[in-house]
Amino acid sequence: SSDLSTSFLNCSICSSELFPGYTCDDEGLSYPEPCKPGKYCPQSNITLMIDCPAGTYNPNNGSILLSSCKICPEGTYCPNTGTITPLICPVGYYCKINSKNYRI
């Protein structure tokens, strides 16, 4: 049987300087994974993946900054945090820029 303390030493520490836009927020990784769409991963913390706020979306992998979360355009809405694709405003409603909900 292997000694956990010795085998753990063979693991590498995630570094935000070496892997900007990547995260090690899950166990069992063999390599840092790109920050997921709908989220951004601040360079100050390699284990943190933060959802884009409601009213914004992010279709891209590997984002580092909150500014990577794009404002929901007119005619669409982004009701939830972590939105990847804006939802189309339904018939009979309108959606201004940065909408979290549609309006009558």
Side-chain angles (χ1 to χ4, degrees), residues 4 6 8 20 44 51 64 93 97:
L4 286 178
T6 342
F8 182 71
S44 59
D51 283 349
I64 300 169
Y93 297 88
I97 192 168

Side-chain angles (χ1 to χ4, degrees), residues 3-86:
D3 180 1
L4 286 178
S5 62
T6 342
S7 57
F8 182 71
L9 294 175
N10 291 331
C11 296
S12 300
I13 293 175
C14 269
S15 162
S16 57
E17 287 82 33
L18 293 176
F19 299 103
Y22 282 73
T23 182
C24 289
D25 79 330
D26 206 356
E27 62 185 354
L29 295 176
S30 58
Y31 193 79
E33 61 183 3
C35 197
K36 292 181 172 69
K39 304 176 183 297
Y40 67 99
C41 298
Q43 204 164 357
S44 59
N45 188 336
I46 196 82
T47 60
L48 197 57
M49 230 184 333
I50 302 172
D51 283 349
C52 288
T56 68
Y57 71 103
N58 184 3
N60 303 314
N61 278 318
S63 298
I64 300 169
L65 304 170
L66 171 59
S67 60
S68 302
C69 302
K70 303 167 182 358
I71 292 173
C72 243
E74 291 177 345
T76 68
Y77 66 107
C78 301
N80 304 313
T81 61
T83 297
I84 298 169
T85 306

Side-chain angles (χ1 to χ4, degrees), residues 86-100:
L87 302 171
I88 302 297
C89 200
V91 172
Y93 297 88
Y94 69 94
C95 299
K96 293 183 176 183
I97 192 168
N98 200 33
S99 286
K100 297 174 188 157

